[in-house]
Amino acid sequence: MNQWEMLDVIERQPDKVSGAWVFRGTRVPVAALFENLRDGATVNEFLEWFPPVQRSQVEAVLNYELNMLTA
């Protein structure tokens, strides 16, 4: 079960990007990170393409998912 509600670097609001999980303070969907990584982009490239997103936000999401896989 994904409990992203526990992460303060992302948010979800019904009136913002159709209720998708986004990086807090942006309109960039978290799914965009995973889609870009899947397609071969690096974290640095993602950050260049989506400048409102902070490295610390990306690292928090990736670390959370890694912890969920190893728990």
Side-chain angles (χ1 to χ4, degrees):
M1 180 175 172
N2 192 337
Q3 296 181 340
W4 280 6
E5 294 88 7
M6 299 173 56
L7 288 173
D8 62 353
V9 298
I10 60 175
E11 62 186 347
R12 179 187 223 176
Q13 298 175 11
D15 60 341
K16 191 174 189 179
V17 192
S18 301
W21 285 103
V22 296
F23 289 96
R24 186 171 300 279
T26 78
R27 296 183 60 80
V28 178
V30 175
L33 170 64
F34 293 104
E35 291 165 355
N36 279 277
L37 293 176
R38 176 198 64 207
D39 293 343
T42 66
V43 169
N44 286 337
E45 288 171 328
F46 177 80
L47 292 170
E48 283 179 38
W49 299 333
F50 299 95
V53 179
Q54 302 295 310
R55 179 175 293 277
S56 60
Q57 292 174 302
V58 169
E59 290 174 353
V61 168
L62 294 176
N63 285 335
Y64 177 80
E65 288 301 317
L66 179 60
N67 287 336
M68 294 303 295
L69 289 171
T70 60

